[in-house]
Structures are given as C-alpha cells and as structure tokens.
Amino acid sequence: MTSSELDQLWLSFLDGELKNEDHPRLIQWLEQNPEARRHLVSERQVDAMLQQLARADDDPEPFVEACVARFVAAEISPPMAAAAAPAEESNRSVETDPPAPKLAIQLQKRQPRVRSGQNVWRALLLAAAMLLPLACLAWVWQFMAPQAAPVTLKKEGAIDSSGPARPGLDEAFADWQQRVNRQPKTLTPAPSPPKPEIVAPPPGPTERIAKQRPTDEQYSPREQHAAREQLGAGEQRSAEPLQPGPDADKTVEVVSLTSHPSARWQLQPSPHSQPRRYVLASGAAQMTFAGGSTLDLQGPTDLELTSDTVVFVAYGNLLANIAPASDALVVRSPSVSLQPRPAAEFHLAVSRSGEAEVFVHDGLVQIQMEQQRHVDEPWVLNASELNQAVVAIPDHSTSPAICMARGSDETFRGAIDAGGKSMEFQSGDMFAGVLRQAQNAHARSPDEFLRQWEALLVQFEQIMQVPPSSKTPEFGQDPLSKSTFEQFVRAIGDLQKNMRDGGGVGSTEFNAEQMQRTWSEFLNSGMQIPAPAAGDRTGVANARAFEGAINMNGRTLRFTSPEAFRQARQRFNR
Amino acid sequence: MTAVPKFSVKSHTGRSTPAIPEQQLVDHASRGSAEAFGELVRRYQQQVRGYLSRQIFDAAAVDDVAQEVFIGAMNQVSGLNNRQSFRSWLMTIARNKCIDYLRCKARPANHSSAQIEQLLAAEALSQFQRADLPDLEQRDVLLALQHCLRQLPPKSHGMLTAFYFQNQTAPQLAATFNKKPGAIRMALLRIRNSLARCIRRKLGRDIA
C-alpha cells in the first residue's frame, strides 16, 4: 500500500466512510507496519495540537467550575467519590515518577483531614443545602400523595415483589443467580441445570444488578439511539426466531431469544441485521440454539452472534448448557475461546476490561487463550479435576497475558504469554514468581521485557530439548521463588554455559531425563550456579562420568572423555 | 487557623494575576479551599489540557482526564515534599493519567473500527512512554509547531488557518478554493502530515 492509498483509507475512516471490505485491509496494514501507525498517530497529534491552539482563547471558566464542583464533592463525600473512581486506578503499574494519583485510595485517606473547623462548617452548610430541597419535596409530597396512585417509592430498575408469591420460580432463579454470581470454591456434583423459566428475580439481587446497569454515557450514540428505540418499543420480547442472515429466502431458525419481563435491552438487532449484537442492560434472558443448547444471560451483558455457532461475549455473565446432541458451539471473549463438548455446562463471566472467569459445572470444555497461538494441545477443563480458569488479557500488545486453571484437588496449570510466545507451568508458586517479575520487567520497559522474554524461551527450549514445534516447555512441580526476572534469565544463561563447558548440551545424546534432573538440582540449590568442573557434563555438584556421542550418517561414535569429544566435533565441523 | 483568602482575581481572558504565590495556593487548596483550588486549575488548565490533547484525540475525554489530574493532584498533595515544584509534579500526574487512558484504549477490541483505534492508541502509548517528562518538552513541541506553521506555503497556511482558527467547514473552504470538499479534507490531511514531518525533524524525535 502506498502512502497515498493509506491517506485515502485513513481519510475515509476519519469521515466514517471506510467501506467494510477496507477495514481488514487497513487493520492488517497497520498491524504489519509500525511506520504507518507512527504516521497516523503523528497526523492525529498535529490535528489535536491545532485544535487546542484554536481553543486557547476559549473561556476556561466552565472547565474550572467543573473541576471545583468535583473537588467540593470529593471533600464532602469521599466514600462516594471513591466508589465512583475507575477500576484502572488500582491497577497502575510501577512508576519511578512521583506517586501516581490513586483517587479512590487517596480520597479515603483524606477523610480524617476534614477536621478543621472551617471544613466541618463548610460540609455542614453544603449538606444542609442539599437536604433543604429534599425536605421541601417531602413537604409537597404529603399534600400530593392522596391524589396520586398508591405507589411505593423504589429504586430505578427494582422489581415490585409485592405481587403474588411464586415460590418455585423464585427459588429456581435465586439458585441460578447464585450460580452465576458466585462460583463454588469446592467441587460439588453438578446439580440439574436451571431450566429456561425466567422469572422475576427477588428484590435483593435485582437491586444490586440495577446499580450495575451501565449509564448511557458508556455507550456510543448509535447504541443509545438503538436502545431508546428498543426500550420505547417495550421491554418484553418472547421467543422471537432470529434469522441467520439477510437472505430472506433461506429462513432457518438458528436461535430464539426469550426475555424475562425485567430484561432491559440496550441494543437488540432486528432479525435480519448483521452483525447480530445484543446488549442486555439488566435483567435476564435466554438464547436457545437450534440444537437445543441454551445460554442464560444476566445483564449487563454484551454479546454478538458472529455465526450460527459462534458467540462473542464482549462482557457479561452467562450460563451455558450444551445439549447432548448439539453441534459444536464456540463461546469467545476478548481473552479466551471456549469450545464446550456436548452435555457440558459452564458459567462464563467476562469483565468490561476483558478478563474472563470460567467455571465448569458439568462435562468438558476446551479452553484457549486468544493471545496464545502456538499451543499444540489446548487445555480441557472438566467438572471433576480442572474445573475453573481465569484468563486476563494484557493492557496492550506487549504486556504478558495469563491463563490460570485450578481444580478442586489443587491441580494447577498456568500459562504466561507475551509477544505471541507462551510458557506453561504446573506449579502455582513458579507461575506467580515468573509472572510477578515479568510484570515488573514490563513496567520498566516493554521492549526490553519482550526481548528478555524471547531470550528466556529460547534458552528454555534449548535446555529442555523440547521439539522446535512446541513453544510451551513445562517444568514439573519445581518451585521457583525469590528470584527476579533478570536473575532468572541470567541464571539460565549461566547454567547453559556451564553445561556447554561440561560438554553436555552440544551432545545429541544428552537426554531429557538427565536435563530434568539437572533442572531440579538447579532449582533446589536456590539457583546457584556452581563453577564448571572438568568432566562434569552438567556443572552441578554430583557430577557423573562423561558420556558423549556424535551421530553421523546413521553411525554413532561414543566418547568417555570431553577432550576427545570436543576434538572429534571440531574435526567433523571442519 | 489562618483564614483562607478569596482568590477571585482574574483577567478578561480568564488568566489570573500572579499576585498569589503558587505555594500559598497549594497550601490553601490542600486544606480544602475551593477558591484556591479553582485558582490553581485556572492557572494550569491550559498546559494540562494542551499536553493531554496531544495524546488523547477526543476533546471531551481530554477534559475528563484533565479534571482527574487536578482532583488527583489535590488528593496526593500531602505527598509533595517541595511545593515549589507543583507544576512539574502536576504534569507528571497528567502523564500517568494519560498512560492510564491510553492503556484502556489500547486493549484488544472486537469491532473493526475499534481495532483501528486500539492499534493507534497502542502506538501512541508506546511513543508516549518513551518520551521525557512532560514539562520539559511541551514548550519545545509548541515552538516547533509554530516554526513549522510559518514554513507552510501561503495557500496551505490560509486553508489551515481558515479551517482551525476561523471555524470554516470543508464545504465552505471548497467554495472558496473552488475544489470539492473531499479534496479539501485530503489537502488538510496532507498539510498535517507535512507539519508532523517538520516537527519531527525539528525535534529530532516523535511528537509524543
């Protein structure tokens, strides 16, 4: 693509006129060309600077007043402001600069400082000013109440539970809510899956969910418009068959949607629209696929049917129940791809930042990190052993992504992926140690971290003599603690060097068993690298007699002396 | 307790008079004076918003992040040892907030338009994290921009001025320059590209 073509595509994108077929082209070009990304970022920076210059003489007072209003609000009600602070504040990486501002924490720390007389009086005055209109409203209300309908005040989104009791349905929903919201810590026999009767949730959980309901500001104007249309058209849609695509001649029902009366849809596509994206703001709904598999959704949830058998969950909660004889259903999220086997039942919770939690209640579910591309065998979660997993995606492309899976019997599997290269662990301590140091290294310098990570994997592969096709060497149950990432890399390099000096690693006969033993000794010794000893093939203390072999044209030459082995290698190399 | 003075002195353009020392303002603001805090915001808002707007290409988001910078600064002010350096400290907070915002934007996206934004946010973040401390460089970038604006051919300069500083739209400019609106938008894009190259040459590095 030439610079002119890129400019044309970019201009179309800025004007919102980029064609659908050009989107992947532009994305691919940007992914492959750092210079193109730099070019476009510079252009936007200049645009932003010019806009800022043009606004330089604007009256700053509206901005100042907005800041002061927030300042005063924070002074009066720190806990409220702390609760409203973004979650990212608590996840700030290590910085060498002055302490990063953590609004939530600091506001709580500041609370005791409202002890000066002036601030107390200020707070009291403002609180009185806020209460006065409420008192007036209450006074007016007592005169209006007799004429008004007999309603009770309740929070927005709360369900009036004063109607006739529905004990069986309420209990079923409460059970469903409990299973969706709270994963059991211990393995229990999977109860019978909740049936699709979606009923009025009890007031407690509903009220909590209503608070989590996203505000309009979190959605684009397109979504808000669609939501207004949807909400205006009524909240309940029952068992509406959806079509697979815009081709009306091929009407095949692939999924039906059942909404609970409490369901509030932020976005619900028409049957023929593509892509079929659903945003359930609150409440519950159920999707039933043609094969009988069901997805019970709990709002807020944003998902998209990317094909008849693939569901992409941007965020939200769902309980999947796969029919025994159904076709393969794939549930994807920004961080993980799940392929449940028939008769599986699992719960998936995806946060707005993309982290996914999976809990398998029944059957088998194949799980794979979206970032992990070089895996020979994806993991399989099952209800009896490895039944829950957490997958976190990186802040940006160079950060390490992680996947952890645990079983009720303390089984552990972990994987760290950075730059498309992964390392797997079966020891939780080792996983945590490497992850902590990797994150610290990344916080210091993402580029340097990637370089170190790649070097580490190359060295592991060489040491462990894993086949070149595999990128996921495993290290058994050996613990790793109290090590820094750099020390780890350096130690591995030293170990490798020592083994080379001992004549081991260059040998084609240096087998995996010996290497595993070396590795264990290395870890058990606190990663101390002893000086290489002559004739010591591994460099560790309990050296054995030297054995070397060179295979050439099907014939194996064996050596018992490192000197003879080196000389032979030099001869053959010449 | 010392009475908190009123800080209502400001000029027509909103700029405050320099009569009140910065340290005094910071002290009073840290004790809860909304007037002192407002005066600090008034004094530094242009620098903070200007700095943020170079990385955050959404004007509304710039103002949101800038508010967080000032509120965050006040909540961290007890950790500021040398109050004389409030400005550079404030700009460092702005840098951290900006990194937070870009990290959030640079997360993998599932829609194609968002993927493009995500790629660019990741690139901006990468450039940004390589950059020096903000207060040392901002003036250099603005000077470089000023220099490069002067280097533009008269026609380009006129088009850019009309678009950005006289609030003329592309169709209005198209009528003036006897071109189609699309051609005007492309011309503006190319002018911005040439400005970016010029600034990079002048600074010897990226704008971030």
Side-chain angles (χ1 to χ4, degrees):
Chain A
M1 191 187 295
T2 64
S3 170
S4 173
E5 281 177 301
L6 177 65
D7 283 347
Q8 195 63 53
L9 285 180
W10 179 238
L11 193 62
S12 303
F13 174 73
L14 291 178
D15 292 343
E17 295 168 356
L18 189 63
K19 293 175 187 165
N20 283 341
E21 59 264 30
D22 285 336
H23 264 118
R25 221 172 122 221
L26 183 56
I27 289 170
Q28 188 183 9
W29 182 249
L30 290 176
E31 281 177 341
Q32 293 173 354
N33 291 277
E35 187 54 39
R37 294 199 298 268
R38 214 172 132 201
H39 174 74
L40 298 189
V41 166
S42 301
E43 189 274 331
R44 289 189 105 177
Q45 283 167 332
V46 170
D47 179 52
M49 285 163 64
L50 289 168
Q51 286 188 34
Q52 188 65 28
L53 273 183
R55 292 194 308 171
D57 287 336
D58 286 358
D59 185 6
E61 283 313 301
F63 177 78
V64 175
E65 284 166 12
C67 282
V68 171
R70 278 187 67 173
F71 176 74
V72 172
E75 282 287 309
I76 291 172
S77 55
M80 285 172 60
E88 285 77 10
E89 289 294 320
S90 59
N91 296 329
R92 185 183 299 281
S93 62
V94 177
E95 297 283 352
T96 54
D97 298 326
K102 291 188 171 66
L103 183 59
I105 296 167
Q106 289 303 318
L107 280 171
Q108 285 171 337
K109 286 180 181 172
R110 279 174 62 83
Q111 194 172 7
R113 293 204 299 116
V114 189
R115 62 180 181 274
S116 72
Q118 184 166 3
N119 283 350
V120 170
W121 281 113
R122 184 188 302 277
L124 286 173
L125 279 173
L126 280 166
M130 289 165 72
L131 286 173
L132 189 60
L134 289 175
C136 291
L137 275 176
W139 184 74
V140 170
W141 179 255
Q142 66 180 336
F143 295 104
M144 293 178 64
Q147 290 86 34
V151 296
T152 53
L153 285 175
K154 58 186 177 184
K155 293 190 177 180
E156 184 187 3
I159 301 297
D160 185 2
S161 59
S162 59
R166 291 159 292 189
L169 297 180
D170 283 349
E171 282 168 13
F173 194 90
D175 176 55
W176 184 83
Q177 288 268 358
Q178 190 180 10
R179 292 175 66 185
V180 164
N181 287 325
R182 199 178 314 123
Q183 300 166 9
K185 296 294 181 191
T186 57
L187 185 69
T188 54
S192 58
K195 296 304 171 191
E197 295 93 3
I198 299 176
V199 298
T206 305
E207 185 175 314
R208 187 172 58 73
I209 293 164
K211 283 178 185 170
Q212 292 171 354
R213 188 161 58 83
T215 59
D216 283 349
E217 288 77 13
Q218 291 173 267
Y219 293 93
S220 68
R222 176 179 63 83
E223 290 171 336
Q224 290 179 29
H225 176 70
R228 275 194 293 275
E229 283 188 348
Q230 290 295 331
L231 293 174
E235 294 179 359
Q236 184 173 3
R237 294 169 64 119
S238 59
E240 179 193 354
L242 304 177
Q243 317 303 330
D247 189 354
D249 294 330
K250 297 178 182 176
T251 304
V252 180
E253 183 181 332
V254 293
V255 60
S256 65
L257 186 65
T258 309
S259 297
H260 178 260
S262 69
R264 289 171 59 85
W265 290 96
Q266 187 95 6
L267 180 67
Q268 192 179 37
S270 66
H272 299 292
S273 67
Q274 290 285 354
R276 288 168 293 172
R277 185 173 170 221
Y278 301 83
V279 182
L280 178 63
S282 66
Q286 186 183 59
M287 273 183 175
T288 306
F289 288 78
S293 301
T294 58
L295 296 183
D296 291 333
L297 312 177
Q298 182 197 19
T301 292
D302 180 348
L303 63 79
E304 184 175 319
L305 294 175
T306 54
S307 80
D308 297 346
T309 56
V310 179
V311 180
F312 181 89
V313 184
Y315 63 81
N317 273 290
L318 63 84
L319 185 69
N321 200 328
I322 309 300
S326 68
D327 293 335
L329 179 69
V330 178
V331 180
R332 293 180 55 217
S333 79
S335 58
V336 71
S337 175
L338 303 171
Q339 292 186 39
R341 306 275 168 81
E345 186 190 42
F346 68 92
H347 160 234
L348 171 68
V350 182
S351 73
R352 284 181 187 270
S353 53
E355 286 85 2
E357 288 183 60
V358 187
F359 189 90
V360 178
H361 297 285
D362 203 2
L364 302 174
V365 177
Q366 183 175 302
I367 176 173
Q368 187 165 1
M369 290 165 77
E370 286 289 341
Q371 278 82 0
Q372 206 175 8
R373 298 193 177 90
H374 304 288
V375 175
D376 296 332
E377 292 184 6
W379 298 356
V380 177
L381 303 180
N382 61 69
S384 58
E385 291 173 3
L386 211 60
N387 59 354
Q388 54 184 322
V390 177
V391 185
I393 57 173
D395 287 340
H396 60 93
S397 57
T398 58
S399 303
I402 63 161
C403 181
M404 292 183 290
R406 284 186 190 281
S408 53
D409 57 349
E410 301 302 317
T411 315
F412 177 86
R413 285 189 81 170
I416 304 174
D417 184 285
K421 296 189 174 176
S422 321
M423 193 189 304
E424 286 193 13
F425 304 85
Q426 292 180 356
S427 156
D429 291 340
M430 186 170 179
F431 171 83
V434 173
L435 177 64
R436 188 176 56 249
Q437 301 308 329
Q439 286 172 334
N440 287 343
H442 179 268
R444 283 194 290 276
S445 166
D447 294 338
E448 179 62 15
F449 159 71
L450 273 188
R451 195 192 63 72
Q452 287 182 348
W453 182 255
E454 287 177 10
L456 179 66
L457 288 186
V458 167
Q459 289 169 7
F460 277 158
E461 284 175 13
Q462 288 174 349
I463 289 175
M464 300 303 290
Q465 294 188 331
V466 291
S469 61
S470 170
K471 303 286 183 186
T472 55
E474 295 177 6
F475 304 107
Q477 300 295 327
D478 299 314
L480 175 71
S481 59
K482 298 178 183 176
S483 68
T484 65
F485 191 71
E486 290 86 352
Q487 282 171 340
F488 200 56
V489 173
R490 202 161 43 242
I492 294 299
D494 290 347
L495 179 68
Q496 187 182 17
K497 179 174 178 300
N498 282 3
M499 286 190 289
R500 275 210 192 94
D501 292 344
V505 134
S507 164
T508 54
E509 296 294 321
F510 196 82
N511 63 40
E513 184 192 348
Q514 290 167 327
M515 186 54 71
Q516 183 66 48
R517 191 161 52 240
T518 303
W519 176 250
S520 300
E521 288 163 352
F522 164 67
L523 292 175
N524 291 334
S525 68
M527 294 198 307
Q528 298 298 316
I529 308 295
D536 178 3
R537 64 180 304 182
T538 63
V540 293
N542 54 348
R544 296 173 296 277
F546 181 84
E547 291 177 7
I550 297 175
N551 188 313
M552 197 165 186
N553 297 330
R555 295 183 59 194
T556 303
L557 303 177
R558 298 190 182 279
F559 300 89
T560 53
S561 142
E563 288 76 16
F565 176 76
R566 275 199 209 97
Q567 286 170 7
R569 283 192 67 192
Q570 285 168 1
R571 259 201 318 277
F572 283 120
N573 287 340
R574 278 201 297 271
Chain B
M1 183 188 146
T2 313
V4 179
K6 297 288 180 189
F7 298 102
S8 57
V9 187
K10 62 180 179 181
S11 68
H12 173 69
T13 58
R15 290 174 188 278
S16 58
T17 56
I20 303 158
E22 178 184 275
Q23 187 177 343
Q24 197 179 341
L25 283 174
V26 173
D27 284 342
H28 286 298
S30 68
R31 274 185 255 142
S33 163
E35 290 87 354
F37 175 73
E39 183 57 30
L40 281 171
V41 174
R42 202 169 284 116
R43 206 171 267 194
Y44 293 113
Q45 56 88 21
Q46 196 168 343
Q47 289 173 56
V48 170
R49 290 159 88 191
Y51 174 71
L52 293 173
S53 69
R54 280 187 1 232
Q55 313 303 330
I56 300 172
F57 310 124
D58 175 358
V62 166
D63 282 359
D64 285 347
V65 177
Q67 282 186 24
E68 285 183 21
V69 169
F70 284 107
I71 298 290
M74 278 303 103
N75 288 303
Q76 290 268 326
V77 81
S78 56
L80 178 62
N81 296 325
N82 177 11
R83 302 231 165 139
Q84 296 293 346
S85 64
F86 177 75
R87 179 180 164 277
S88 60
W89 186 71
L90 184 72
M91 297 305 284
T92 307
I93 291 174
R95 182 175 190 272
N96 287 336
K97 289 282 182 190
C98 193
I99 287 175
D100 277 355
Y101 177 86
L102 290 173
R103 275 186 181 152
C104 195
K105 293 286 284 182
R107 283 180 176 147
N110 54 325
H111 303 297
S112 50
S113 297
Q115 276 178 18
I116 294 171
E117 295 287 353
Q118 176 238 328
L119 283 167
L120 296 182
E123 177 64 27
L125 178 64
S126 171
Q127 287 184 19
F128 191 47
Q129 287 179 323
R130 288 196 297 265
D132 298 330
L133 285 176
D135 56 334
L136 303 177
E137 61 174 67
Q138 189 173 11
R139 192 167 166 271
D140 294 344
V141 177
L142 289 175
L143 285 175
L145 175 64
Q146 203 173 5
H147 167 84
C148 293
L149 281 172
R150 283 200 298 268
Q151 306 291 316
L152 285 176
K155 191 176 169 184
S156 300
H157 193 278
M159 193 182 287
L160 203 73
T161 306
F163 185 77
Y164 282 101
F165 299 96
Q166 294 165 7
N167 293 326
Q168 291 200 33
T169 61
Q172 287 172 328
L173 287 173
T176 307
F177 289 89
N178 198 21
K179 288 184 175 180
K180 290 181 180 174
I184 294 291
R185 283 195 286 268
M186 179 55 81
L188 287 168
L189 178 70
R190 289 185 173 147
I191 294 170
R192 290 195 295 266
N193 283 338
S194 70
L195 281 175
R197 283 193 296 273
C198 171
I199 293 172
R200 199 180 298 154
R201 274 198 309 272
K202 187 85 179 157
L203 295 176
R205 57 168 173 77
D206 288 319
I207 297 172

